[in-house]
Amino acid sequence: MPSEFVRELKRGVAAARQALESAGEDDADAHRARLAELRDIARHNEVDLDGADETRR
């Protein structure tokens, strides 16, 4: 997996987490859904969101 893909995916997850933390009750569900979607993409591509910018092997 290209490292650029991993970096962008991690940026998206970080942005979704931050948005969820600052979201009100009305917006929280949409941010949770986006975060879940990004986590699914990471899992599908074997990207470790908590580790270094590389894939799990």
Side-chain angles (χ1 to χ4, degrees):
M1 195 61 45
S3 61
E4 182 178 348
F5 170 79
V6 174
R7 283 193 303 270
E8 290 300 317
L9 184 58
K10 287 186 175 191
R11 283 186 193 131
V13 168
R17 286 178 179 159
Q18 185 176 3
L20 180 59
E21 289 175 5
S22 63
E25 283 294 316
D26 295 338
D27 297 326
D29 287 340
H31 293 300
R32 275 190 209 94
R34 179 64 180 149
L35 186 54
E37 179 182 8
L38 291 170
R39 286 180 176 155
D40 286 343
I41 291 168
R43 192 173 16 255
H44 177 74
N45 288 284
E46 299 181 346
V47 174
D48 180 5
L49 294 174
D50 299 319
D53 283 346
E54 58 187 57
T55 59
R56 282 184 285 192
R57 301 267 175 209

